Amino acid sequence: MCCVVLCLSFSSNLFNSILKRMEAAKPLINAFRTKSKQATLLWLEGFREACCLHRVFILCYRSRKLLIRTGQCFLLNGFIFLGSIIILNSVIVPALHWILPDRCPEFSSQELCSFGGILKFYSFLRLGLIQLFYVTWFYPLYVFSIILSNIWYNDIAKYGFAAMGRSGPTTLDPVRQNEASALQIGAGTERPTGLGGVMIGIGEQVYSLLLLSCFFLEVYVTGFIPYAGKALNFLLLSWMYAYYCFEYKWNFSEVRLDKRLDFFESNWAFFAGFGSPCVLPVLFFSPLVSYGFMAILFPLFVLTATGSEAEQVISSQRTKWEVAGFGRLPIFNAADTLSMRVLSLFPQESQELLQKKKDS
């Protein structure tokens, strides 16, 4: 009887302890639920902003130069690059399989087919011809497309920015009150004029290029992580392409690098949503085909970013929240650390100059 009473008493105490812990965890659960809802809403806003492709038609209607450059991107990456892949897979490869079969046809000489080495030779020759097509056409076209497309992307952003009728610098200034980020657009610290301003601009561009190169390396490495690697790679790619899309606009608006990074990391959910449509082909196609689709889509999202009022969209969402925002996520922290390691290989004077331009 005593054992039964002790067991009941122990069970009661254990149950009460579990209830107390659940009650103590309720605020954390509610806070997590609230933050998740905020992040989801901002992600959806970013996705919706990226899909406002009507801005592309409006800007192309306003600028003939923009229309031509955008058409050239479609011609190179869509018609020529993707068209070459379609011709390879639909015409050349089936033709090679017909000319150099991997199985013995019924109408062929059985004596010839009994010699297995001929089929192996056909297979080797067929694969060699396909690889020759890649080496002599696809890979040079791929490199040529990357170089020329990047030049055209800058022109597209420049013509789109001009078509918006914007001129003069603007400044992003993420302001925090009790760890809540609110975006303001106003006058900020301007760059010094003359040679000093030019040097600061060059320093920012060098550091930005190094930072994004390290971030791309981080994206590439995450693709090899088992199980979660694909999802993490997709998320990082979304952030990378979203940053690229808005970087053109921020460059022409003369937004300082530290302000860009602060604004981007403070609104990571919005930019994850904005970059998602551009990198969707990665989930469904091979690397070469997905590059072709992304090269077509990217200038469209550059223009939607140019015409986007992301600051007002994010600010309007934050005003609806009765609690603080979810804070800044150090997306570029690992890339920044790696960039500093790379800079440490340079002479001390160059390190101090780049660090000063980074902090300015």
Side-chain angles (χ1 to χ4, degrees), residues 257-310:
L257 180 61
D258 60 326
K259 298 295 183 183
R260 301 180 201 176
L261 297 178
D262 189 63
F263 178 56
F264 191 91
E265 293 182 336
S266 298
N267 302 285
W268 51 269
F270 175 87
F271 290 106
F274 190 94
S276 296
C278 189
V279 297
L280 277 176
V282 174
L283 299 178
F284 305 104
F285 302 105
S286 64
L288 275 177
V289 177
S290 61
Y291 164 77
F293 278 109
M294 290 164 69
I296 293 173
L297 295 174
F298 183 70
L300 304 183
F301 294 121
V302 168
L303 292 176
T304 57
T306 302
S308 170
E309 296 293 344

Side-chain angles (χ1 to χ4, degrees), residues 144-349:
F144 178 74
S145 172
I146 290 176
I147 295 173
L148 195 57
S149 293
N150 276 281
I151 297 173
W152 286 348
Y153 293 155
N154 188 73
D155 290 342
I156 287 172
K158 179 175 66 175
Y159 297 146
F161 194 79
M164 288 295 297
R166 293 173 177 169
S167 61
T170 59
T171 303
L172 298 176
D173 189 15
V175 180
R176 293 180 180 80
Q177 296 176 352
N178 299 325
E179 296 188 1
S181 298
L183 185 66
Q184 294 180 346
I185 300 180
T189 304
E190 296 183 355
R191 292 177 184 169
T193 57
L195 183 60
V198 174
M199 293 301 295
I200 289 176
I202 294 174
E204 284 187 349
Q205 291 298 321
V206 170
Y207 178 77
S208 178
L209 179 63
L210 182 59
L211 180 72
L212 292 174
S213 299
C214 293
F215 189 75
F216 178 77
L217 180 62
E218 182 182 343
V219 173
Y220 178 76
V221 170
T222 56
F224 296 98
I225 299 176
Y227 304 112
K230 192 75 173 178
L232 188 58
N233 183 263
F234 180 83
L235 178 62
L236 294 178
L237 268 178
S238 299
W239 276 327
M240 188 177 75
Y241 272 87
Y243 186 87
Y244 278 140
C245 289
F246 278 88
E247 187 183 35
Y248 291 103
K249 176 183 177 181
W250 292 336
N251 277 334
F252 291 120
S253 300
E254 298 182 11
V255 179
R256 284 166 37 191
L257 180 61
D258 60 326
K259 298 295 183 183
R260 301 180 201 176
L261 297 178
D262 189 63
F263 178 56
F264 191 91
E265 293 182 336
S266 298
N267 302 285
W268 51 269
F270 175 87
F271 290 106
F274 190 94
S276 296
C278 189
V279 297
L280 277 176
V282 174
L283 299 178
F284 305 104
F285 302 105
S286 64
L288 275 177
V289 177
S290 61
Y291 164 77
F293 278 109
M294 290 164 69
I296 293 173
L297 295 174
F298 183 70
L300 304 183
F301 294 121
V302 168
L303 292 176
T304 57
T306 302
S308 170
E309 296 293 344
E311 302 84 2
Q312 283 75 9
V313 172
I314 295 171
S315 180
S316 65
Q317 280 294 322
R318 291 185 182 277
T319 55
K320 301 176 184 178
W321 301 341
E322 297 178 356
V323 294
F326 38 79
R328 178 173 178 173
L329 185 67
I331 299 170
F332 297 104
N333 186 55
D336 179 68
T337 303
L338 183 58
S339 300
M340 290 296 102
R341 291 290 182 89
V342 173
L343 289 176
S344 66
L345 303 176
F346 290 87
Q348 187 66 28
E349 295 80 5

